[in-house]
Amino acid sequence: MTYPELSMVIGGEKVGIAHRRTHAVLNPATGAVIAQLPLADAADLDRALAVADEGFRIWRKSTPQQRAAVLAGAAGLLVQRQEEIARIATLEQGKTLAETRIEVMMVAGLFNFYAGEVGRIYGRTLPRPDGMRSTVTYEPVGPVAAFAPWNFPIGNPGRKLGAPIAAGCSVILKPAEESPASALAVLQALLDAGLPPQVAQVVFGVPDEVSRHLLASPVIRKLSFTGSTVVGKHLAKLAADNCIRTTMELGGHGPVLVFADADIERTLDIAVGHKYRNAGQVCVSPTRFLVEESVFERFRDGFAERAKAITVGDGMDEGSRMGPMANPRRPEAIEALVKDAVAAGAKLNAGGKRIGNQGFFFEPTVISQVPLTARIMNEEPFGPVAIINPMAGEEAMIAEANRLPYGLAAYCWTQDGARQKRLARELEAGMVGINTVAIGAADSPFGGVKWSGHGAEDGPEGLHACLVTKAIHEG
């Protein structure tokens, strides 16, 4: 397929590479350069800020019907362009076509949900004595600076653009430089559906330069960030200088509690596929499998057997079940974590090394009986590695699940109804899956607690994150 020419989109105009620094975009399956991406300078960012200010004045006056028409129209265009966008995303990010096709539909579903939700931004009237009237209303917060990572090259930009547009805000989006064309395709669908070009813009650049410049501007009133905890903390500090509201979806280290009464074979069939989805480069990936001792060996061996059977290859190949990692940094990081764990006493049950000498492929890996001192037990691996440890029982499993400062997603597998209720209450996570890994949906809030961030995307909560509350009192 032909990879599209890359540009930034500022005020509806495409800004190319002329006289600008560039970033090389790679195909993760081969390591080859497929395009050069223009990077913004200070003048580009200043122009984007001025346009965003203008765009907010335009879009805040739009009707719910106008916003719904744009979002629903974009959803329809995404469905029509599904195959084209999916192939672009696979080429630049690496995940399989099956996954990128689903990702396009995820964004279409989210846009359709927000198209309906914009008509339900209800205020309320408060009871007051005769002659007085007090109302509560919700208004768009203002221009949004949004930063999206590379692991979901279609889905993350869709989230960052959809909520502000639904709320009546303007938005400047900085997607990941590793996967730019996917984000541009999402924006193009919105523009083709009638979104005024001043309302949404896309810039690329050196991340720290762009974030410092945008967040220092009085134009920006909201920050939306998805990425690592380290970067999230840094951006939160920058946002604090201007009292900018924040939604932060940060790192995770997903615990999975597997009890002896679970349907072990069904659990394995579901959990293994979810673990190696997108080569494990998923913030809610199940990572630490905490397995009751009596079924530990059966679970470990079944997991390793299934991991070894996964077909790894170019995401463009319809037969591949796992593609390469997204960039050259990831295999090196995963290899270092696995070696550290084995040196600390962990058992290597499957995988553990890179595949071939072309592209960024890494074997689906299983390690077990991993000491708490190993780095991988304390740092988010963000790769195709499953940790499987035996546990004495429920109390110890909950304690280990909650030990880390992360709290994004947690999973548990048990047929005991009373235990399910206890786990739902005791697990410190923004999202809990009980006998399921399906924890994300357009109508459901997506977010974490502790070092995994605050606020939520998706659902009514994602829309309200881009609104401010105003109380009006009349005498």
Side-chain angles (χ1 to χ4, degrees), residues 3-59:
Y3 188 73
E5 184 177 345
L6 299 174
S7 65
M8 295 181 286
V9 181
I10 300 176
E13 297 180 7
K14 293 184 177 180
V15 180
I17 62 175
H19 312 299
R20 285 175 177 81
R21 294 171 296 173
T22 61
H23 171 85
V25 180
L26 307 181
N27 178 350
T30 65
V33 175
I34 54 176
Q36 293 292 331
L37 176 70
L39 302 182
D41 58 22
D44 294 322
L45 297 176
D46 283 338
R47 181 175 168 223
L49 286 163
V51 171
D53 194 32
E54 177 189 0
F56 177 54
R57 289 195 297 271
I58 295 170
W59 200 237

Side-chain angles (χ1 to χ4, degrees), residues 136-419:
V136 179
T137 63
Y138 298 99
E139 299 180 352
V141 64
V144 177
F147 299 83
W150 45 259
N151 62 326
F152 283 85
I154 309 163
N156 285 324
R159 280 175 165 159
K160 300 305 181 191
L161 292 166
I165 289 169
C169 301
S170 59
V171 56
I172 300 174
L173 170 66
K174 194 202 84 66
E177 284 68 33
E178 288 93 339
S179 53
S182 301
L184 290 168
V186 176
L187 173 64
Q188 193 62 53
L190 288 160
L191 294 174
D192 290 347
L195 183 73
Q198 301 94 326
V199 176
Q201 305 172 88
V202 169
V203 299
F204 302 97
V206 177
D208 191 51
E209 290 180 13
V210 175
S211 59
R212 287 183 183 276
H213 197 106
L214 295 183
L215 297 178
S217 170
V219 169
I220 299 299
R221 300 310 311 149
K222 167 72 189 283
L223 162 66
S224 179
F225 173 74
T226 298
S228 71
T229 295
V230 171
V231 176
K233 289 180 177 181
H234 168 66
L235 294 184
K237 291 174 183 176
L238 294 179
D241 287 340
N242 275 336
C243 292
I244 295 172
R245 292 180 57 176
T246 58
T247 295
M248 313 295 282
E249 196 263 278
L250 308 180
H253 206 305
V256 187
L257 286 64
V258 181
F259 292 87
D261 66 352
D263 183 335
I264 298 299
E265 294 305 311
R266 176 175 179 271
T267 301
L268 286 167
D269 289 340
I270 295 174
V272 172
H274 199 62
K275 169 68 255 181
Y276 300 112
R277 178 174 67 119
N278 195 19
Q281 300 165 127
V282 181
C283 55
V284 295
S285 181
T287 299
R288 289 176 293 147
F289 290 83
L290 314 175
V291 185
E292 218 166 4
E293 288 175 334
S294 61
V295 293
F296 165 72
E297 291 187 359
R298 176 186 170 193
F299 186 88
R300 177 201 62 198
D301 295 345
F303 205 108
E305 179 183 357
R306 287 166 172 80
K308 292 174 183 177
I310 291 175
T311 302
V312 182
D314 190 329
M316 289 290 190
D317 185 342
E318 297 285 359
S320 297
R321 287 183 56 204
M322 190 180 97
M325 305 195 76
N327 56 62
R329 304 184 301 275
R330 299 312 309 150
E332 295 173 4
I334 296 302
E335 191 169 41
L337 287 173
V338 172
K339 286 182 177 179
D340 174 81
V342 171
K347 309 298 182 185
L348 180 61
N349 305 105
K353 61 182 183 298
R354 297 184 64 151
I355 301 174
N357 56 10
Q358 177 178 284
F360 314 132
F361 294 95
F362 200 90
E363 293 177 323
T365 299
V366 179
I367 54 177
S368 63
Q369 294 165 283
V370 187
L372 294 183
T373 55
R375 287 175 53 206
I376 202 167
M377 289 298 291
N378 301 284
E379 302 174 20
E380 180 181 26
F382 216 65
V385 183
I387 303 161
I388 305 177
N389 279 354
M391 304 297 294
E394 181 179 326
E395 184 176 349
M397 294 161 82
I398 293 173
E400 169 56 22
N402 293 338
R403 175 181 62 86
L404 295 179
Y406 302 104
L408 190 57
Y411 307 88
C412 51
W413 296 80
T414 176
Q415 299 302 316
D416 186 326
R419 175 183 284 146

Side-chain angles (χ1 to χ4, degrees), residues 87-134:
R87 288 183 173 277
I88 288 171
T90 293
L91 186 63
E92 66 184 6
Q93 197 272 344
K95 66 174 67 175
T96 65
L97 281 171
E99 292 178 270
T100 53
R101 287 167 181 149
I102 291 170
E103 203 172 325
V104 176
M105 299 307 293
M106 181 198 94
V107 177
L110 182 64
F111 284 1
N112 275 324
F113 173 78
Y114 279 143
E117 200 65 19
V118 294
R120 292 185 283 272
I121 305 176
Y122 304 132
R124 67 184 190 274
T125 301
L126 307 178
R128 289 292 182 267
D130 286 347
M132 290 194 66
R133 184 169 181 263
S134 293

